[in-house]
């Protein structure tokens, strides 16, 4: 069963404050977010469903086209979809490092899924200083 807790919303809070007030819940969430329910927040299973349904709609809309589809979104959305697509247990979601503005490529070919690029930031190297 899912762990329950965190009566106040974590948005806009510093990580130190969350650790101080809800350290054990945060630890559990970092181990496996799919087992934690934060009151008044979307649980991870609903989030996974929303993410996968959205990506499936995007793929269906462009299924007749033989071209790349570019999706710009948050890293946790990408990590969630990658884990789901590759049958990686959600407890391993934090093992995928996805930096801001990175390029991540998933190829759907016939009934197979390939992760051909993860966290490529090469295009940003000249811009960092």
């Amino acid at each position: 069963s899912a762990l329950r807790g965190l009566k106040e919303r974590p948005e806009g809070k510093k990580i130190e404050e969350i650790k101080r007030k809800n350290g054990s819940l945060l630890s559990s969430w970092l181990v496996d977010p799919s087992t934690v329910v934060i009151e008044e927040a979307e649980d991870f299973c609903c989030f996974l469903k929303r993410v996968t349904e959205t990506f499936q709609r995007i793929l269906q809309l462009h299924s007749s086209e033989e071209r790349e589809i570019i999706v710009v979104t948050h890293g946790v959305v990408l990590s969630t979809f990658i884990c789901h697509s590759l049958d990686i247990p959600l407890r391993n979601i934090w093992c995928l490092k996805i930096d801001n503005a990175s390029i991540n490529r998933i190829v759907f070919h016939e009934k197979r899924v390939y992760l051909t690029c993860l966290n490529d930031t090469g295009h940003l190297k000249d811009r960092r200083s």
Side-chain angles (χ1 to χ4, degrees):
S1 72
L3 294 169
R4 295 194 170 275
L6 196 63
K7 298 206 186 283
E8 61 183 73
R9 301 201 38 115
E11 291 93 348
K13 305 261 188 324
K14 294 185 180 197
I15 192 73
E16 295 81 23
E17 182 181 352
I18 295 171
K19 281 181 187 176
R20 187 174 64 253
K21 291 182 177 180
N22 301 94
S24 63
L25 187 66
L26 175 63
S27 294
S28 297
W29 188 78
L30 292 172
V31 168
D32 186 353
S34 67
T35 64
V36 177
V37 175
I38 299 172
E39 291 181 29
E40 296 184 26
E42 180 178 35
D43 74 42
F44 212 82
C45 292
C46 290
F47 174 71
L48 170 64
K49 184 176 189 249
R50 186 166 53 92
V51 166
T52 55
E53 286 176 353
T54 299
F55 273 90
Q56 289 305 319
R57 275 195 309 272
I58 292 168
L59 292 169
Q60 287 171 354
L61 283 170
H62 300 281
S63 64
S64 63
E65 303 171 26
E66 290 193 30
R67 60 175 70 173
E68 292 183 2
I69 302 167
I70 298 172
V71 177
V72 179
T73 190
H74 294 277
V76 73
V77 172
L78 293 172
S79 297
T80 300
F81 186 65
I82 290 169
C83 283
H84 172 77
S85 297
L86 299 175
D87 289 325
I88 297 170
L90 285 175
R91 69 179 175 274
N92 296 323
I93 192 170
W94 308 126
C95 296
L96 299 178
K97 182 178 184 330
I98 299 182
D99 290 323
N100 290 338
S102 64
I103 296 172
N104 303 276
R105 185 173 295 123
I106 306 169
V107 175
F108 296 87
H109 180 69
E110 296 176 3
K111 295 195 182 228
R112 306 263 322 169
V113 179
Y114 303 92
L115 179 63
T116 61
C117 180
L118 180 68
N119 200 42
D120 179 359
T121 57
H123 59 287
L124 302 174
K125 292 202 183 332
D126 291 339
R127 301 185 194 285
R128 292 183 183 182
S129 29

